[in-house]
Amino acid sequence: MKNILCFGDSNTWGFIPESITAPFPVRHPHDVRWTGILGRELGPNAHVIEEGQNGRTTVHDDPFATARNGKLVLPAILESHKPLDLVVLMLGTNDLKNVFGVSPGEIAMGVKILAQMILGSDAGRAAKSPRLLLLCPPAIGQQNHLPDIAAKFPNAFKDSRELPRHYEALAAALGCAYLNTQTLITAGSDGIHLDATAHAILGKAVATAVKSLLPPDA
């Protein structure tokens, strides 16, 4: 069985866009989330591990929320789920928040640190490193109807669209697989999170990429 870890933020957790103004976030059902669709597409010989967290960043401590720094939790997650054949990494959206004040290139540097941790780990088969599939997250949409949310992401509409070139260059430098989700899907009604249709498209696209990386007879 192939073990595939999906490490990400609220779009891996499955945050429903319309719940952005609710008292608490609501999650898409398992079979709607892209990770669930990935598992369905790959079939019984694959084990898809969901590790999504709302608000997770690449390397930053959020002053308004605890335990959101991906760099701090990744080593334990790799350790607890090994042996892993592949890690699917999709982070960077929350780094666009105004509180962190980082550029698209600096967000990619945060992703690079995580990618190097994965590729330098012994979390794969026979204490080798797992393979890595890097996903550039979806672009941020217009949020004029959500002024409180828009205030947290004042430059994200523009900056998120600059991420693909940085992520693509990073993947080429690392020699890992890459998928630009911005060519496939757009954010839902809150400008951040994916609706069910986008989850379906993403799950199938990731499945296609995973099948090419981990053929059944490999």
Side-chain angles (χ1 to χ4, degrees):
M1 177 173 286
K2 306 295 186 183
N3 293 323
I4 301 159
L5 171 68
C6 299
F7 187 66
D9 52 29
S10 52
N11 274 325
T12 298
W13 184 80
F15 194 116
I16 294 178
E18 289 73 22
S19 71
I20 193 74
T21 56
F24 53 85
V26 181
R27 192 178 195 182
H28 286 295
H30 176 267
D31 61 349
V32 173
R33 301 195 291 270
W34 71 263
T35 46
I37 291 166
L38 171 62
R40 185 192 70 201
E41 292 290 315
L42 295 179
N45 292 324
H47 177 213
V48 176
I49 303 160
E50 296 179 311
E51 278 290 354
Q53 181 189 25
N54 295 331
R56 179 175 283 155
T57 69
T58 58
V59 299
H60 306 288
D61 291 322
D62 190 328
F64 306 116
T66 59
R68 295 303 193 272
N69 187 329
K71 178 183 176 182
L72 298 183
V73 299
L74 180 57
I77 288 173
L78 292 173
E79 177 75 17
S80 65
H81 292 299
K82 69 181 185 179
L84 295 167
D85 296 282
L86 175 70
V87 177
V88 182
L89 173 62
M90 184 170 71
L91 281 174
T93 296
N94 290 298
D95 294 43
L96 292 161
K97 290 178 179 177
N98 190 57
V99 68
F100 301 120
V102 292
S103 68
E106 289 168 328
I107 292 173
M109 289 298 295
V111 174
K112 180 181 179 180
I113 290 172
L114 301 181
Q116 290 176 326
M117 291 171 69
I118 294 164
L119 295 173
S121 75
D122 64 354
R125 300 283 175 181
K128 297 180 180 179
S129 62
R131 302 191 71 172
L132 173 63
L133 172 58
L134 176 62
L135 307 187
C136 181
I140 298 293
Q142 293 288 357
Q143 299 173 320
N144 297 333
H145 60 302
L146 297 168
D148 291 342
I149 304 301
K152 298 178 181 179
F153 293 89
N155 302 308
F157 184 86
K158 172 181 175 292
D159 287 352
S160 64
R161 286 162 175 77
E162 295 183 19
L163 293 178
R165 66 184 179 92
H166 294 287
Y167 280 54
E168 184 176 7
L170 173 60
L174 294 173
C176 70
Y178 171 69
L179 179 64
N180 178 12
T181 75
Q182 295 189 16
T183 65
L184 302 171
I185 55 175
T186 56
S189 60
D190 66 352
I192 302 172
H193 301 107
L194 305 180
D195 61 20
T197 299
H199 273 277
I201 294 170
L202 180 57
K204 291 176 181 178
V206 174
T208 298
V210 171
K211 288 175 183 178
S212 69
L213 292 168
L214 303 175
D217 56 348

